[in-house]
Amino acid sequence: MRSHIEIAQDAIDLVMPAISKLFERTNRQELHIVIMDPRVKPWEASFEEAILYQASLGNPNQWTTPFDDFARNKARQAWRSSTSNIVAQTLHTSSLSDDDLLFYGSFTYGDVVVACSGVQQWYDMLISGWIALAFEQICMNEYQTSKSSNPTKTLRTTR
């Protein structure tokens, strides 16, 4: 089975055509993506240790806003609460920390947490959702393919 990092890269590649099409209607074509490791819980590791993969679209050296920091902040909020940060931003504001970014743009699907920053926050959330769903379903494909190929396998292992 492929590693989670390989699957994260594949998930982004898979939804890239949709992101490119969406960039035709967004306020810019810059984006930072953070994918958290769904196997790591907040009580098991620091936030930084739990980041599985990050990627930037556009030229980060020319960004006028630190979208990478914003995306990590959104991811931290979602990872901490196990729900998309729009929930804290709109329903449970008492859970916001003093240093929480006041924009949403993350998405959680089961234990998969993805956050983006760079375009309008509703589109950041949309892209995060695409990537989260793609990640989980690619993992499902890997799992089912492995189980079919070796039905007596007892543990999930990577190459």
Side-chain angles (χ1 to χ4, degrees):
M1 289 176 52
R2 292 185 296 165
S3 73
H4 273 52
I5 291 173
E6 292 171 308
I7 293 170
Q9 293 166 332
D10 191 17
I12 293 170
D13 290 344
L14 185 65
V15 302
M16 246 345 266
I19 294 170
S20 296
K21 183 70 175 167
L22 185 64
F23 276 172
E24 294 174 10
R25 63 177 70 188
T26 57
N27 56 357
R28 66 183 66 83
Q29 287 76 47
E30 302 165 338
L31 192 70
H32 190 77
I33 303 163
V34 177
I35 302 174
M36 302 302 294
D37 190 330
R39 301 164 296 183
V40 181
K41 307 302 179 234
W43 57 88
E44 296 175 330
S46 71
F47 170 73
E48 292 76 18
E49 293 169 328
I51 294 173
L52 175 69
Y53 187 75
Q54 299 184 73
S56 292
L57 306 178
N59 186 348
N61 295 328
Q62 296 177 352
W63 290 353
T64 58
T65 303
F67 297 122
D68 52 344
D69 291 339
F70 283 12
R72 283 188 291 273
N73 193 300
K74 293 175 185 183
R76 185 175 57 245
Q77 290 177 49
W79 183 67
R80 183 178 71 222
S81 64
S82 298
T83 189
S84 304
N85 74 326
I86 192 173
V87 174
Q89 302 280 331
T90 59
L91 296 176
H92 302 294
T93 56
S94 63
S95 67
L96 291 170
S97 297
D98 290 343
D99 60 349
D100 280 345
L101 185 70
L102 299 182
F103 300 110
Y104 63 89
S106 65
F107 193 89
T108 58
Y109 182 65
D111 291 330
V112 179
V113 174
V114 178
C116 294
S117 191
V119 294
Q120 295 95 320
Q121 59 187 345
W122 46 92
Y123 288 144
D124 286 339
M125 185 175 177
L126 175 62
I127 296 166
S128 296
W130 289 341
I131 295 167
L133 289 167
F135 181 89
E136 186 65 51
Q137 297 312 306
I138 294 168
C139 282
M140 178 63 73
N141 181 68
E142 292 286 321
Y143 175 78
Q144 293 298 340
T145 301
S146 175
K147 290 292 288 179
S148 295
S149 300
N150 188 355
T152 60
K153 184 177 181 177
T154 58
L155 297 175
R156 180 195 188 282
T157 58
T158 57
R159 307 185 214 179

